[in-house]
Amino acid sequence: MCFKVFFWKYFFKNCFKAMNRILNKARTSILSISYGQTDKLTTSSLFYLTLFIFILQLFLSSSARGVPPQYDITELTIEELMSIEMKTTISRKAQAVNEVAAAVFVITQEDIRRSGAMSIPEALRMVPGIEVSRIDANRWTIASRGFNNYYSNKLLVLMDGRTVYTSLFSGVYWEVQDTVLSDIERIEVIRGPGGTLWGANAVNGVINIVTKKVKDTQGGHLDIIAGTEERAIGSLRYGGKAGEKAWYRVYAKFLKRDSSAAFSGGERPDTMEISRAGGKMELELGGQDSLFIQGDYYDGESGARNIRTLPYDPYFEKINSVEDKSGWNIQARWDHAYSRNSDFNLQLYYHMNERDNPGLFEKEAVYDMDFQHRFRLGNLQEILWGTGYRHVNNKTRGSFDISFVPHERTDHLYSFFIQDEVTIFPEKLTATIGTKIEKNNYTGKELQPSLRLMWTPDRLNSVWGAISRAVRTPSRFEHDVRTNYLFSMEGYDPFYFAIIGNREAESEELWAYEAGYRFKPHDSFSIDLALFLNRYDRLITYEFGTPFFEGEPLYLVITESAANNMKGNTYGGELSIDYSPLSYLRFQGAYSYLRFDLNDPVTQGYYSRFYEGASPSHRFSVRSSIELPYNLELDLWFKYRDNLSSHLLPSIFNMDARIGYRLGKDMDISITSQNLFDSKQPETVVNDSIYIASQIERGYYLRFTWNF
């Protein structure tokens, strides 16, 4: 008896000491953050603050047990989430997530709302295997499974099935990819190649931003955000009905973004203002036919801090530039269903984008046609085939810094794909084999086959594997560019270092080997694991050519050109966990591991070291959401990223927090804070573009939403 009394006295005494230590450390951290003294924060203090907030949230969740929540926080159960149909990404047909033989992650509208994300790139941070780094107030680097930089070119991005990358460098201008965030139904993310169905540039992943059906956005919607970094975001959307079988919605959005912080102190001149408007209409043409038409227009400008090279003394200068950007698109798709097992659709779109800054003017016009047909062949086979054509016209007006020869170029892309899904054992084992054939102006014909297997031994477990080939065709940059950079050394005349396009550059090649496991023992718990080994060949690096003299007076030009001399492997894995122990409490975790083993003998390892050090080996995030009494919501998002040795940047551990209050069924207000642990921090250091990176500052936001 005495021993028991002594034990429990000792136990509670030490528990009290531990809790008191946690509270003191957390108090010190909170005061440091409040007064902006983030330099006093240590890893230990951040750990205790995180632990304190986590314990507090668990306490709040236990306190909330006696009060029934006003609505289910998840809105979609894990069972429903795993049953979301991925119509347009990995399989081009209606298929549940847990039936897809690929590394799949779905960001739902509720995920976007509860995360407090103010933009699409910010929402993508929750996806395992997707690397998101912010360069300055307006620019991001986003990549899947490595090779992350401003000109990331191995990731295909779609908006409702419309490709949004530029042919200039096969990348994405993320600052202009936007819409009313509340109108996004989901963001489908595939890590790994999707070339069999989507073609070149779908090498390491595919992202498809899917907006809601017009029928689901009837009535009015007002969304207003005011804050320190996103100074003002205003969205207004209205949906209605035209006749018995036609629905429409129109929207307008304005965004004003504050500048970021310079490394040397002060602010960068990288503010942005942009306006956009658009609409969408859906029509039911009959029992088997439907049509949707949509269009968007945007116009705005953003600032940047640039380095410009000059052909005269002082040979280079740092300038504050303003970049004008505008564009519009129109898209139509006709869907026809012969029966439940047979249908086809025809999609047409046109988009035009224009960007103008002191160094380069670019205007791109794209016409695209895509047709696909699905039908069953017997009881055990389903055939999907299609064809497409793309016409791309790209015009540029360069400067001494950067120019393209020829200034205008028109490219044509022809494609055909076929895929056969074979049921080997009904409801147990299926195999999907297919290929895509493309003909382009850069490398001619390309073949991209794949084989995928899905084994479902029971309703709790599923295992999949895949072997795929994908290619990344050269862009205009690698074929047609001429850039100039100044170098000067004491005692020598200045000389220029130039990158010159190489018309002989070939496609980069990937053979990907993937495997995955999904386990869902209960409706409230699921695990998704994906492993991969990517074998790359003919990766493009830039290698020295023959120097020459040019100009008046003469100056030496040392050249580099694109060459396919790097190869090697990347390997790793991604894990996501979703757990809802209570109807009003949910935890979502994601972890990514990535390693490089590249070989570039000509440049003596320069590019292999750069790519390895530009992507974190370890990255994880944990999101927790709780529905509190009195219509309150609390969301915490912890994020960790390993150090970037190429950029000499340390690891990052940070947190976003959101508190929401439901004023009624159709109205809510929330307060969000981003980057709570650091007043400002660099996420990347750009050394492969003309833009100068900056530090990303902590942000506070007030948001009001009203559906009417």
Side-chain angles (χ1 to χ4, degrees):
M1 183 70 179
C2 293
F3 173 77
K4 289 183 178 180
V5 171
F6 175 78
F7 173 80
W8 287 113
K9 181 179 179 181
Y10 179 82
F11 175 79
F12 283 116
K13 181 179 179 180
N14 282 274
C15 284
F16 177 79
K17 286 183 177 180
M19 183 58 67
N20 189 52
R21 184 182 182 189
I22 291 172
L23 290 173
N24 287 331
K25 291 283 188 178
R27 176 179 174 274
T28 303
S29 302
I30 293 171
L31 289 175
S32 298
I33 293 173
S34 300
Y35 290 103
Q37 299 171 340
T38 53
D39 56 324
K40 295 182 179 181
L41 292 175
T42 63
T43 303
S44 175
S45 62
L46 290 178
F47 169 77
Y48 282 109
L49 177 59
T50 304
L51 185 60
F52 168 73
I53 295 173
F54 184 75
I55 293 173
L56 177 63
Q57 191 167 26
L58 289 179
F59 172 76
L60 290 173
S61 67
S62 64
S63 301
R65 290 180 184 179
V67 182
Q70 297 299 312
Y71 68 98
D72 190 347
I73 169 198
T74 59
E75 292 195 359
L76 287 175
T77 65
I78 296 177
E79 178 93 24
E80 293 170 331
L81 181 64
M82 296 303 289
S83 299
I84 288 177
E85 291 185 344
M86 305 281 285
K87 270 193 172 181
T88 58
T89 306
I90 190 60
S91 57
R92 286 191 179 229
K93 67 172 186 176
Q95 189 174 25
V97 174
N98 56 358
E99 298 174 354
V100 176
V104 179
F105 193 93
V106 179
I107 304 173
T108 66
Q109 170 56 221
E110 186 69 359
D111 290 331
I112 297 173
R113 188 182 75 86
R114 297 298 294 259
S115 71
M118 305 293 164
S119 64
I120 293 172
E122 293 300 319
L124 290 171
R125 292 183 188 272
M126 65 183 75
V127 184
I130 299 294
E131 302 161 24
V132 180
S133 295
R134 199 165 181 175
I135 299 173
D136 58 19
N138 306 306
R139 296 167 183 85
W140 285 265
T141 69
I142 300 180
S144 174
R145 294 179 173 175
F147 299 95
N148 195 17
N149 57 66
Y150 182 61
Y151 300 112
S152 296
N153 51 28
K154 297 176 178 62
L155 178 65
L156 182 67
V157 181
L158 309 156
M159 179 80 79
D160 283 325
R162 174 179 61 89
T163 60
V164 297
Y165 74 92
T166 171
S167 64
L168 200 68
F169 63 93
S170 297
V172 177
Y173 295 121
W174 282 102
E175 72 273 18
V176 299
Q177 308 310 324
D178 196 10
T179 187
V180 178
L181 290 184
S182 300
D183 284 352
I184 296 176
E185 180 180 294
R186 64 189 186 272
I187 303 177
E188 305 168 354
V189 183
I190 305 295
R191 292 104 60 200
T196 298
L197 294 180
W198 295 105
N201 300 317
V203 178
N204 285 349
V206 182
I207 296 174
N208 191 13
I209 303 155
V210 182
T211 59
K212 294 178 180 177
K213 293 183 179 298
V214 177
K215 289 182 182 180
D216 299 330
T217 53
Q218 297 294 282
H221 174 82
L222 177 65
D223 194 356
I224 299 175
I225 300 172
T228 57
E229 301 308 308
E230 307 289 349
R231 302 294 291 177
I233 303 177
S235 303
L236 179 62
R237 179 256 294 153
Y238 182 79
K241 192 172 182 180
E244 292 298 319
K245 297 184 178 181
W247 296 262
Y248 70 90
R249 71 165 175 249
V250 292
Y251 79 90
K253 182 174 182 178
F254 171 77
L255 182 148
K256 182 176 182 180
R257 185 169 288 151
D258 194 22
S259 57
S260 57
F263 284 90
S264 57
E267 294 187 344
R268 288 271 188 238
D270 55 358
T271 59
M272 184 172 85
E273 289 189 15
I274 190 166
S275 302
R276 65 180 61 242
K280 184 175 182 178
M281 176 172 281
E282 293 175 354
L283 302 94
E284 292 183 356
L285 304 178
Q288 290 82 30
D289 295 276
S290 62
L291 175 70
F292 92 74
I293 303 171
Q294 69 177 22
D296 304 273
Y297 172 80
Y298 70 88
D299 183 74
E301 64 178 29
S302 63
R305 183 69 167 165
N306 302 97
I307 299 176
R308 289 195 64 191
T309 305
L310 304 172
Y312 48 80
D313 190 41
Y315 301 107
F316 76 94
E317 63 179 353
K318 294 183 179 181
I319 64 169
N320 298 335
S321 66
V322 176
E323 183 174 74
D324 296 317
K325 51 196 72 178
S326 63
W328 64 276
N329 68 81
I330 185 167
Q331 179 181 3
R333 188 172 71 229
W334 170 33
D335 293 292
H336 175 80
Y338 293 106
S339 66
R340 183 180 178 183
N341 297 321
S342 178
D343 55 54
F344 76 79
N345 65 63
L346 174 66
Q347 176 178 273
L348 305 170
Y349 71 77
Y350 169 85
H351 73 230
M352 188 280 294
N353 297 304
E354 188 173 300
R355 304 171 71 89
D356 191 7
N357 64 50
L360 180 67
F361 168 83
E362 176 198 359
K363 182 176 182 179
E364 182 177 74
V366 177
Y367 305 85
D368 190 280
M369 183 278 293
D370 184 87
F371 171 84
Q372 72 169 47
H373 178 211
R374 179 184 68 93
F375 63 93
R376 292 197 68 86
L377 189 64
N379 295 324
L380 301 178
Q381 284 183 276
E382 185 173 85
I383 306 295
L384 181 68
W385 71 275
T387 185
Y389 168 72
R390 182 176 302 155
H391 176 282
V392 181
N393 179 260
N394 188 276
K395 299 179 182 179
T396 62
R397 183 178 65 247
S399 62
F400 185 75
D401 286 282
I402 181 170
S403 59
F404 289 82
V405 179
H407 300 303
E408 180 177 357
R409 176 168 178 162
T410 299
D411 293 316
H412 307 271
L413 178 66
Y414 305 88
S415 63
F416 172 84
F417 75 88
I418 186 168
Q419 180 173 278
D420 186 8
E421 182 179 303
V422 182
T423 301
I424 301 174
F425 297 108
E427 299 182 358
K428 294 292 183 180
L429 181 64
T430 61
T432 304
I433 184 170
T435 189
K436 184 156 192 169
I437 304 171
E438 287 188 331
K439 183 179 180 182
N440 64 76
N441 289 48
Y442 292 89
T443 61
K445 294 180 181 178
E446 298 288 356
L447 187 68
Q448 301 183 78
S450 70
L451 170 64
R452 296 181 180 273
L453 296 173
M454 169 62 75
W455 177 43
T456 309
D458 52 54
R459 66 180 188 87
L460 304 181
N461 301 273
S462 58
V463 181
W464 62 270
I467 302 175
S468 311
R469 180 183 188 267
V471 299
R472 204 277 296 180
T473 57
S475 63
R476 277 207 71 190
F477 186 92
E478 286 133 341
H479 263 223
D480 304 336
V481 77
R482 166 69 188 267
T483 67
N484 292 307
Y485 302 93
L486 171 75
F487 278 82
S488 61
M489 295 182 292
E490 188 175 352
Y492 295 89
D493 292 331
F495 62 92
Y496 288 97
F497 177 78
I499 296 178
I500 298 177
N502 177 14
R503 294 293 180 91
E504 302 301 320
E506 302 177 40
S507 293
E508 298 179 321
E509 181 187 43
L510 164 68
W511 277 98
Y513 305 87
E514 301 175 275
Y517 171 63
R518 298 187 182 103
F519 178 54
K520 189 173 66 64
H522 192 269
D523 290 350
S524 63
F525 181 73
S526 70
I527 294 177
D528 193 333
L529 173 67
L531 304 174
F532 66 92
L533 169 63
N534 288 346
R535 294 188 177 276
Y536 296 94
D537 197 11
R538 303 199 306 262
L539 289 173
I540 288 180
T541 60
Y542 288 86
E543 299 170 7
F544 287 111
T546 303
F548 59 88
F549 289 90
E550 72 175 12
E552 184 61 40
L554 290 175
Y555 55 85
L556 178 66
V557 180
I558 298 177
T559 65
E560 273 194 342
S561 294
N564 301 89
N565 288 329
M566 184 165 67
K567 62 181 180 179
N569 306 326
T570 65
Y571 58 91
E574 297 120 13
L575 175 68
S576 60
I577 299 175
D578 201 325
Y579 178 46
S580 295
L582 302 166
S583 63
Y584 44 85
L585 178 63
R586 184 179 185 182
F587 297 98
Q588 294 168 283
Y591 171 75
S592 306
Y593 175 73
L594 175 66
R595 294 296 295 177
F596 281 76
D597 183 17
L598 302 178
N599 181 25
D600 53 325
V602 178
T603 62
Q604 299 179 350
Y606 170 81
Y607 284 95
S608 59
R609 289 192 300 271
F610 169 79
Y611 283 123
E612 181 173 3
S615 298
S617 297
H618 304 275
R619 193 166 52 83
F620 73 81
S621 73
V622 177
R623 290 183 293 134
S624 58
S625 300
I626 179 174
E627 187 74 13
L628 296 171
Y630 310 110
N631 296 332
L632 288 173
E633 301 169 333
L634 176 61
D635 301 279
L636 303 177
W637 187 2
F638 301 96
K639 294 173 283 189
Y640 172 82
R641 189 203 70 189
D642 207 357
N643 67 295
L644 304 181
S645 58
S646 291
H647 301 331
L648 302 178
L649 292 180
S651 60
I652 294 176
F653 178 61
N654 224 317
M655 183 184 79
D656 297 348
R658 174 186 173 275
I659 298 176
Y661 176 62
R662 289 262 178 168
L663 300 174
K665 181 181 179 182
D666 300 318
M667 193 179 298
D668 63 69
I669 187 169
S670 64
I671 299 174
T672 301
S673 178
Q674 294 179 342
N675 301 327
L676 267 175
F677 292 165
D678 284 290
S679 60
K680 53 187 176 182
Q681 63 185 15
E683 295 187 1
T684 186
V685 177
V686 179
N687 55 6
D688 58 353
S689 81
I690 61 174
Y691 299 109
I692 301 176
S694 55
Q695 300 190 81
I696 308 306
E697 298 177 279
R698 180 188 298 133
Y700 298 98
Y701 307 102
L702 176 65
R703 182 174 188 173
F704 172 76
T705 304
W706 178 31
N707 294 308
F708 57 92

